[in-house]
Amino acid sequence: GGGGGPVSPVPLFYWKGQYSLAATTGTDPTFTRATAATFEDFEGVIRTVESSEPRFQGARRVENFAVNSGDLTNGTWYKNTNTTITGGQTDPDGGTTALRITADGGTALYGDSNVIPAGISVQQSWWIKRVTGTGQIQFYTGLNGGQRQTIFGVTTSWQRFAQTPTAASSAGNIFGIYLGVNGDEVDVWHPMIENVTGQTNQNPSEYVSTG
């Protein structure tokens, strides 16, 4: 045959998840489903998705359990009496959505509670940079009333840090940032609190905004 216009450069064989529906149809599709469902993820593990959540065979499912991760001054976040927060700080993207945590009168704790079901393995990650002080900066892992993991290598430049995954002991655990020295300050941004139970690859996944 002859003639005909150009065709879309989509190969006959490609890895699952390589193309989006929007890229092939030209519009953003919508999807609804009334119940939860399952699919096989990138490691061959059967995962459950929520109602109206699309399933992508062979993909890594990412869910951020941190409530209002895009609004760190929201009242749903927990802070102890020694913690002062200041919003509107410059973030890694050049915006002003980062939050400053100040230890004011003692050790400071800022985090999210009631976000993780008991027993699952939790991966927590934050973008962090130091503002003032030299004291320890730690992940508050929420275990047994407040176990912590020290975060090494924090500087005055933005970096993303992740904790070693730990199992939540109860649904009311707090996951967040702990400052061990009065007067220290850090800026934080884009927290992720995710379920990595059963995953071989437990590195933090891409950030997903909530709230």
Side-chain angles (χ1 to χ4, degrees):
V7 296
S8 176
V10 178
L12 292 177
F13 301 99
Y14 56 91
W15 291 109
K16 292 175 286 188
Q18 184 176 346
Y19 293 94
S20 70
L21 290 175
T24 56
T25 65
T27 59
D28 291 326
T30 59
F31 176 81
T32 59
R33 184 185 59 250
T35 60
T38 59
F39 78 107
E40 184 178 318
D41 75 359
F42 71 117
E43 294 183 325
V45 178
I46 301 300
R47 302 288 181 184
T48 300
V49 301
E50 299 176 0
S51 61
S52 294
E53 178 182 341
R55 290 173 288 177
F56 295 93
Q57 186 81 358
R60 178 174 181 173
R61 182 178 184 269
V62 180
E63 179 179 359
N64 190 353
F65 284 86
V67 179
N68 294 306
S69 70
D71 180 10
L72 293 176
T73 61
N74 192 287
T76 58
W77 287 89
Y78 170 84
K79 65 185 181 74
N80 67 4
T81 56
N82 300 325
T83 302
T84 298
I85 60 169
T86 309
Q89 306 303 312
T90 302
D91 61 49
D93 284 342
T96 56
T97 60
L99 179 82
R100 182 158 298 171
I101 302 173
T102 304
D104 185 11
T107 58
L109 170 61
Y110 193 76
D112 211 341
S113 62
N114 301 311
V115 294
I116 292 290
I120 74 168
S121 186
V122 179
Q123 167 64 272
Q124 176 182 193
S125 59
W126 296 68
W127 284 82
I128 307 171
K129 76 170 186 175
R130 186 183 291 277
V131 178
T132 303
T134 59
Q136 278 192 338
I137 303 167
Q138 296 179 307
F139 286 119
Y140 195 92
T141 66
L143 298 175
N144 301 321
Q147 289 188 5
R148 304 186 293 273
Q149 294 181 15
T150 299
I151 306 169
F152 296 100
V154 180
T155 69
T156 55
S157 297
W158 282 109
Q159 300 174 81
R160 191 185 189 195
F161 295 90
Q163 73 167 64
T164 301
T166 52
S169 58
S170 71
N173 288 163
I174 296 172
F175 292 87
I177 301 298
Y178 181 92
L179 304 181
V181 176
N182 182 34
D184 279 9
E185 292 181 312
V186 297
D187 285 352
V188 298
W189 187 64
H190 278 187
M192 279 283 290
I193 304 173
E194 53 189 304
N195 177 2
V196 294
T197 305
Q199 288 183 189
T200 301
N201 179 358
Q202 294 190 332
N203 292 316
S205 53
E206 67 273 20
Y207 171 71
V208 175
S209 176
T210 60

